[in-house]
Amino acid sequence: MFAIEEIYDAAFDRARFPHLIQRLVEAMGAQAGFIGWSDLDRDAGFQCQFGNDPAALQSYIETYAPHDILRPYLHAVPEGVCAPAWELLQTPEVRGSIFYREYLAPQGIVDNLAVNLLKRPGIVAHLALLRRAPAERFSGEECARLGQIVPHLRRAIYIQSHVIRAADHAAGEQAVAGIANSALLLMTADRVLLDADASLGRLLRLRIGEPIGDGIVGGAVARALEYREPVAIELPPGEEAEPLRLLVEVRPLDTNRFGDLAGGPGAAFAVHVTRVDRPRLIAFPAIGDLYALTATELRVLRDAIETGDITEVGDRLGMARATARTHLHRIYEKTGTRGFAGLSNLAHRFGRIAT
């Protein structure tokens, strides 16, 4: 007996799909099976199988895929329709093909019950169940039984796309979180705002779900996209007494397009907006904690970074210059930096806006 709940368990946890396909194979009296989806435009996707000979799968990829005479027929089957291949396998055209004689027949395959779970431009999802001799062909009753499961499998595909969409969204934010003091906007390829830090959205007078337009901010985004370089802008005084100076940087997001099934276009770009008119304070204690610096090393680090000078650190801190140099070299070793330029670069990544 096959429990529908198993499908929805897999929908929210992709690691359960191998067990799901095994249960489907067993419930349908098959000997092997495959389920997966593909983003054809980007050659990406996910698949799992049960009961197939690994050597046969490899030979299909390396040799027989171009000779697969069944593929055009199965791809032409409408979305959601169960299509057994037994009758097709009896035709002289198929039986005389290289694919049948050298690939299907040696494995004893007598039927292939296939379903196009999803057919969208550039994105497809398939289910295939195989029977080998001495098993019989799939009966009409068995096809109907699988047909009752197919709507649940299709829903699972859509649920998985929502999970992927959420993962893409989180990955997009995480990928750019290393840029200190930046607020984040996410937008589609058509420059529609999908998400924004609340305070920044109000400050820039942008609304989620609407295009960012061709104003000062929209124009800066367009230029940053075109030239692949940050763009500086100045906004006239609004809620604040002084003009607002911002640095706008746009980065493309490499997301999984399968998440687009979740509804509407996904995030294509992350826009970083950094205020350049506020002083920044370096979080020296955080650096010390992260790299296990001693109290003296932290004093040396702070003095060197704040003054931009390493030659007179010892004089300023009341220690011998040789001692100061020793502390600096230990700081370089602990932080994995090479010289003062690298150390300064690292320290400023820990900058935060002064309040």
Side-chain angles (χ1 to χ4, degrees), residues 94-233:
V94 171
R95 294 224 163 194
S97 68
I98 293 176
F99 185 66
Y100 182 85
R101 289 185 287 106
E102 297 184 8
Y103 186 75
L104 296 180
Q107 296 183 70
I109 295 175
V110 298
D111 205 352
N112 176 14
L113 181 54
V115 185
N116 290 317
L117 297 172
L118 185 72
K119 292 175 71 174
R120 296 286 187 274
I123 300 177
V124 294
H126 297 293
L127 169 69
L129 301 174
L130 300 176
R131 277 188 175 170
R132 300 190 181 99
E136 300 290 332
R137 62 184 288 186
F138 287 100
S139 67
E141 180 181 343
E142 288 170 326
C143 291
R145 184 150 53 92
L146 180 62
Q148 294 176 345
I149 298 174
V150 165
H152 299 286
L153 290 170
R154 284 167 50 81
R155 290 189 194 106
I157 293 292
Y158 279 100
I159 290 171
Q160 183 64 205
S161 76
H162 278 274
V163 173
I164 289 173
R165 168 70 69 87
D168 281 345
H169 193 103
E173 294 187 350
Q174 184 177 8
V176 298
I179 300 180
N181 308 315
S182 292
L184 178 68
L185 309 174
L186 293 178
M187 67 179 187
T188 69
D190 296 328
R191 294 167 55 192
V192 173
L193 187 64
L194 288 180
D195 195 9
D197 294 343
S199 59
L200 184 66
R202 291 193 301 270
L203 192 64
L204 302 182
R205 297 179 177 84
L206 299 175
R207 293 185 178 181
I208 293 176
E210 296 183 358
I212 63 172
D214 298 317
I216 297 177
V217 176
V221 169
R223 294 197 303 276
L225 275 171
E226 181 179 359
Y227 300 116
R228 300 180 183 274
E229 291 288 345
V231 174
I233 59 174

Side-chain angles (χ1 to χ4, degrees), residues 40-84:
L40 302 178
D41 293 340
R42 293 180 51 215
D43 192 25
F46 167 78
Q47 63 184 38
C48 62
Q49 60 85 26
F50 172 78
N52 293 287
D53 179 6
L57 290 176
Q58 190 63 29
S59 69
Y60 178 85
I61 295 171
E62 294 178 352
T63 305
Y64 294 106
H67 303 286
D68 188 346
I69 196 171
L70 301 181
R71 185 190 295 176
Y73 162 77
L74 296 176
H75 281 189
V77 174
E79 186 176 273
V81 174
C82 299

Side-chain angles (χ1 to χ4, degrees), residues 270-281:
V271 182
H272 311 273
V273 181
T274 306
R275 296 194 63 164
V276 297
D277 55 358
R278 282 188 178 180
R280 301 187 183 280
L281 300 178

